[in-house]
Amino acid sequence: PERRKPQPARPRQVMPERPPLERNRDFAEVATGFTAEMAIAESERCLQCKKPLCIQGCPVGIDIPAFLRFIADGDFAGSINRLKEDTNLPAICGRVCPQETQCEEKCIVGKRNQPIAIGALERFVADWERENGAVKTPVVSAQTGKRVAVVGSGPAGLTTAGELARRGHAVTVFEALHEPGGVLVYGIPEFRLPKEIVRREVDGLRAMGVEIRLNTIVGRSLTIDDMFAQGFDAVFVGSGAGLPHFLGIPGENLNGVYSANEFLTRMNLMKAFRFPDYHTPIHVGKKIAVFGGGNTAMDAARTALRMGPESVKLIYRRSEAEMPARAEEIHHGRDEGVEFVTLTAPVEFLDDGKGWVAGVKIIKMELGEPDASGRRRPVPIEGSEEIIEIDTAVIAIGNSPNQLIPQTTKGLETTRHGTLIANEATGETTKTGVFAGGDVVTGAATVIQAMGAGKAAAAAIDDFLMKRANAEE
Amino acid sequence: MHTIMDKRLLAPNVYRLEVGAQLIAERRKPGQFIILRVNEESERIPLTIVESDPVAGTIVLVFQVMGEGTRLLASLEMGDEIRDVVGPLGHPTEISHFGTVVCVAGGIGVAPMFPIAKGMADMANTVISIVGARTRELLILQEEIHSVSSEVLITTDDGTFGRHGFVTDALKERLESGFKPDAVVAIGPLPMMRAVAETTRPYGIKTIVSLNPIMVDGTGMCGGCRVSVGGQMKFACVDGPEFDGHQVNYAELANRQRMYRDKEACKIRSLIP
């Protein structure tokens, strides 16, 4: 069809959202997605750059102008098919990627106008495909006869599995929990990423021939050495950073004090918000405090809010400018009613006399010199202690990798932070045939970085397998 | 899916299930546990593996109906299926040649104790078992525990069988008479394990307890099962479940075990039409 001139100066389409005071009482999705008209109008803003910078900003290297061009032409089926040549999980990426620091930050239109809403468009075509029952399984290469084991079904594992299946390798994913998805199912709440969408994208991988073995803990149910003994030719470790950090202050083991991992797992994976229809209980009192300033803290605070308490305070030791959470999530939290208490650190949890948390003693902080992370270091202000009354606390100050796999695998070496030592570009570990990527290598990071690492490792694994196959001939 | 191959009632509200789980049956060691989820709505429940048959590909679980989760499990019959079973989890028991080992089991704790006592006997230890129950009809697995012990002392709280009193009474009497075992293993309700540890503490006898905090995932990712041992935070699911009985903060654990008591009551009420 005759192409219209790009319209970069046209205002960026705004993602429709449910009003804050309606959505903060349920778990349905906050953002409702572009309409077809909005999607076409937005993609018409794209300049179709000859040397697109947006692609460089995408950790999985999606050809963004190519799939946007199909949308602009009104060919949504063409768009999703083009998109799926580069990613297997578009409905997830479109929702949870921090596009403002990735593809959209690089978008040239953003220099003078607002950048193209790439994430919303990716989400639009993925949702369009699902809602129109038009889901097509990507073409898979001829079988190579090589078998790859993938440890963990989070974003890194799922991406690696999809990429390897596409190249004709037989892939088996081992997952410890009863549902695949990793942080996508136990961590990120339903109102940001409906679990039905994760399920459908995982089904897409199964349709490509990926086998998923649930309830299988590598290091206990079987080891990596067992996998090689069973005939796997390579192993990818994408087991994440699931070991929660605690504050190390008195009173932390009182009832009503949760790690964010436990709080979110009970809510998201076990659906405790639907108790007693679902049987897993959770304690959410009237006055909740969440400690931390990252996306996990924001997810926990917004989840707690939906249980209808009197107040949810987010307590962070630096100022809002240093918060690692996405700006969009901070806005969402504030609009929904989360109170931000910054430059404040917990000192001790107080007992109600019956073994439950009744309050937290806090101390005010001021910012000192920048530390190793480049952020200004918070310093306590002497004598500024006070007590905040709370009945539930959620600790969201970070995670590190579980040591079960390195402890049970000879030759797999870790750094002093407990992360696996791996080549940044290829994911190669210190053990031949074992590759790794995602949070288990970087420490807790983002979904899309894990997907990027998975994609890079898949290419390296393919190379490793095919080189060996050629050498054997 | 995991099929129930056999179901038996061992005592009022105490059941023994034989469940198909090939991989777990092949790998498990004494002291390890599984987590199961009966169906889509149910919670994840930790249960110790009592026995396994690698050839038949089955594991044996023994449990007492305590709340909604175990009630649902007890409602299943032979041929029914359990949706999820994951394991083996936790560290195996430290089984080696100690010399004389006293195995103290309270209530259905005798079920998880049996594989440990058997393991200890296989390592040429002299095994003395002290088994206690509230009343005679709650004494289970008597034949099994006799088969691996050189001596079995039975106590009932109400005196309906064996010695009248608690397991700690029998243990204390032995220790006072100058008997010094090389190790004591205690499994049962928390107050009982605490009492055993307090009994052996003055004698400096190595005492192992198997802790039973609330768990969710059982893989070390949430810390719901955290316990204080020697002043350090430990996750029972990956660091345990067995710990040095003289180092455990029992009061804290007892408190954490009560965390969902009102919710349990609410769930039970919701089942009554």
Side-chain angles (χ1 to χ4, degrees):
Chain A
E2 190 61 28
R3 186 167 307 281
R4 287 171 52 193
K5 205 167 167 287
Q7 307 286 328
R10 194 191 275 171
R12 174 174 154 128
Q13 298 289 319
V14 178
M15 174 70 87
E17 284 173 0
R18 299 165 60 223
L21 297 180
E22 172 198 308
R23 73 193 191 220
N24 73 0
R25 286 291 176 264
D26 64 41
F27 284 80
E29 205 172 4
V30 164
T32 53
F34 279 176
T35 61
E37 293 70 32
M38 292 169 81
I40 291 171
E42 183 63 19
S43 38
E44 282 173 352
R45 296 178 62 226
C46 174
L47 296 176
Q48 293 290 323
C49 302
K50 286 276 183 301
K51 286 181 181 160
L53 296 174
C54 55
I55 300 180
Q56 294 172 20
C58 173
V60 295
I62 292 172
D63 189 338
I64 293 160
F67 91 85
L68 293 196
R69 186 166 180 158
F70 280 106
I71 303 178
D73 291 344
D75 180 0
F76 302 145
S79 177
I80 185 65
N81 290 338
R82 182 65 194 80
L83 183 57
K84 280 162 82 177
E85 286 179 31
D86 296 320
T87 172
N88 295 306
L89 309 164
I92 295 169
C93 289
R95 284 174 167 80
V96 303
C97 281
Q99 289 97 7
E100 68 277 12
T101 61
Q102 296 178 326
C103 53
E104 293 180 18
E105 185 181 46
K106 293 272 166 55
C107 173
I108 201 82
V109 175
K111 302 287 177 225
R112 290 186 56 191
N113 298 289
Q114 287 168 296
I116 311 297
I118 299 165
L121 290 168
E122 181 181 18
R123 169 185 165 154
F124 168 78
V125 285
D127 288 356
W128 177 88
E129 180 192 39
R130 202 177 56 251
E131 283 155 16
N132 287 273
V135 178
K136 259 176 51 186
T137 304
V139 182
V140 168
S141 305
Q143 290 300 298
T144 62
K146 297 288 174 190
R147 293 175 67 204
V148 184
V150 171
V151 182
S153 67
L158 291 180
T159 302
T160 309
E163 294 293 321
L164 288 170
R166 201 195 289 267
R167 290 168 159 93
H169 306 300
V171 182
T172 306
V173 179
F174 295 89
E175 167 56 47
L177 290 172
H178 59 255
E179 261 206 57
V183 76
L184 304 172
V185 293
Y186 75 75
I188 301 176
E190 190 81 19
F191 55 82
R192 279 216 291 138
L193 176 63
K195 300 312 147 209
E196 182 54 26
I197 284 170
V198 180
R199 217 163 285 142
R200 296 282 195 104
E201 301 235 303
V202 172
D203 284 346
L205 295 180
R206 287 199 178 99
M208 290 167 70
V210 173
E211 187 199 346
I212 299 180
R213 283 198 209 151
L214 300 172
N215 294 316
T216 310
I217 300 191
V218 176
R220 288 265 190 262
S221 307
L222 81 171
T223 64
I224 286 179
D225 292 316
D226 291 337
M227 291 171 170
F228 286 113
Q230 286 173 13
F232 284 102
D233 300 287
V235 176
F236 174 79
V237 182
S239 52
L243 182 79
H245 294 174
F246 283 86
L247 292 160
I249 62 173
E252 203 159 22
N253 293 346
L254 286 168
N255 289 351
V257 181
Y258 287 101
S259 74
N261 278 9
E262 180 179 3
F263 188 80
L264 291 170
T265 298
R266 282 179 181 271
M267 283 294 202
N268 297 326
L269 182 69
M270 306 311 294
K271 299 192 167 50
F273 65 90
R274 290 178 62 188
F275 182 90
D277 293 338
Y278 281 75
H279 305 171
T280 302
I282 195 157
H283 168 79
V284 184
K286 291 287 161 213
K287 293 175 177 169
I288 297 141
V290 176
F291 298 89
N295 288 315
T296 307
M298 229 51 73
D299 283 346
R302 296 174 66 201
T303 298
L305 201 71
R306 283 162 169 75
M307 301 299 280
E310 283 168 20
S311 65
V312 177
K313 291 185 166 66
L314 188 128
I315 299 179
Y316 181 56
R317 62 195 185 120
R318 302 183 206 242
S319 71
E320 193 174 315
E322 288 83 24
M323 276 193 187
R326 286 180 76 181
E328 187 187 335
E329 298 307 322
I330 295 172
H331 284 306
H332 277 146
R334 179 168 285 130
D335 287 351
E336 290 169 6
V338 175
E339 298 164 36
F340 288 74
V341 182
T342 53
L343 288 165
T344 301
V347 178
E348 181 181 358
F349 290 111
L350 307 170
D351 193 333
D352 72 346
K354 294 176 201 146
W356 285 82
V357 62
V360 58
K361 186 197 274 184
I362 53 96
I363 188 161
K364 288 292 181 190
M365 311 291 272
E366 58 192 353
L367 292 178
E369 294 302 305
D371 65 9
S373 75
R375 293 180 301 176
R376 293 178 64 193
R377 199 166 58 86
V379 183
I381 302 171
E382 245 177 87
S384 67
E385 288 95 341
E386 52 184 282
I387 287 166
I388 298 177
E389 204 182 304
I390 58 168
D391 54 18
T392 307
V394 182
I395 298 162
I397 57 165
N399 290 302
S400 54
N402 188 321
Q403 293 305 300
L404 195 53
I405 289 170
Q407 275 166 7
T408 56
T409 311
K410 266 201 199 105
L412 199 60
E413 286 169 32
T414 56
T415 66
R416 64 191 174 90
H417 302 293
T419 52
L420 291 184
I421 294 172
N423 180 307
E424 216 172 290
T426 63
E428 280 172 286
T429 66
T430 53
K431 189 177 169 80
T432 308
V434 180
F435 298 74
D439 286 2
V440 74
V441 173
T442 57
T446 63
V447 167
I448 189 66
Q449 276 175 276
M451 290 182 177
K455 192 159 180 168
I461 293 169
D462 181 61
D463 198 45
F464 168 79
L465 294 174
M466 298 327 282
K467 258 190 201 139
R468 209 166 61 171
N470 292 336
E472 278 162 11
E473 267 168 21
Chain B
M1 290 289 199
H2 300 262
T3 309
I4 296 177
M5 313 300 284
D6 189 45
K7 177 188 181 183
R8 285 181 223 166
L9 183 69
L10 298 184
N13 278 327
V14 178
Y15 293 89
R16 177 190 187 273
L17 294 183
E18 209 172 312
V19 179
Q22 183 70 49
L23 204 64
I24 302 172
E26 285 169 15
R27 300 196 70 94
R28 57 81 44 166
K29 294 198 172 75
Q32 290 187 300
F33 64 99
I34 55 105
I35 285 190
L36 61 79
R37 193 175 71 128
V38 175
N39 60 34
E40 190 57 43
E41 291 79 33
S42 53
E43 50 185 325
R44 293 168 66 97
I45 303 169
L47 289 174
T48 306
I49 307 164
V50 175
E51 284 175 74
S52 59
D53 183 341
V55 179
T58 57
I59 57 172
V60 171
L61 308 171
V62 172
F63 64 97
Q64 187 163 16
V65 176
M66 302 287 282
E68 213 318 75
T70 41
R71 186 196 308 266
L72 182 64
L73 187 59
S75 73
L76 301 181
E77 298 299 339
M78 251 169 80
D80 286 350
E81 285 183 331
I82 298 173
R83 191 181 170 103
D84 301 293
V85 179
V86 58
L89 302 173
H91 280 294
T93 306
E94 179 198 348
I95 289 179
S96 59
H97 181 74
F98 292 102
T100 302
V101 179
V102 176
C103 295
V104 190
I108 65 156
V110 65
M113 182 63 86
F114 170 63
I116 295 169
K118 185 173 184 303
M120 292 292 184
D122 290 346
M123 290 297 285
N125 290 289
T126 302
V127 174
I128 297 174
S129 296
I130 304 178
V131 178
R134 210 155 27 88
T135 185
R136 179 180 191 151
E137 61 180 354
L138 294 174
L139 286 165
I140 57 168
L141 305 181
Q142 294 298 292
E143 204 173 300
E144 285 85 348
I145 209 78
H146 271 97
S147 72
V148 296
S149 313
S150 62
E151 189 185 351
V152 180
L153 304 170
I154 309 277
T155 66
T156 50
D157 299 2
D158 62 0
T160 45
F161 192 84
R163 189 199 155 108
H164 188 173
F166 298 130
V167 285
T168 39
D169 297 331
L171 177 64
K172 197 170 181 183
E173 194 178 276
R174 279 293 171 104
L175 298 181
E176 279 171 355
S177 71
F179 168 64
K180 191 164 191 287
D182 300 287
V184 171
V185 186
I187 307 182
L190 194 64
M192 174 235 133
M193 293 193 281
R194 180 183 197 166
V196 169
E198 291 316 322
T199 306
T200 58
R201 191 191 299 274
Y203 296 93
I205 299 164
K206 178 188 173 82
T207 301
I208 302 161
V209 294
S210 180
L211 300 183
N212 46 2
I214 293 169
M215 288 187 188
V216 185
D217 59 287
T219 66
M221 64 171 266
C222 85
C225 66
R226 62 192 188 271
V227 290
S228 297
V229 181
Q232 302 264 315
M233 184 189 288
K234 299 280 179 189
F235 291 2
C237 70
V238 288
D239 300 320
E242 292 176 3
F243 294 98
D244 177 348
H246 296 147
Q247 301 285 322
V248 173
N249 183 336
Y250 293 96
E252 181 187 282
L253 177 53
N255 182 54
R256 289 185 61 79
Q257 283 182 340
R258 286 192 295 267
M259 187 150 163
Y260 297 104
R261 225 171 22 180
D262 59 327
K263 291 282 193 319
E264 284 292 330
C266 150
K267 224 164 16 182
I268 291 160
R269 271 202 305 279
S270 77
L271 295 173
I272 303 165

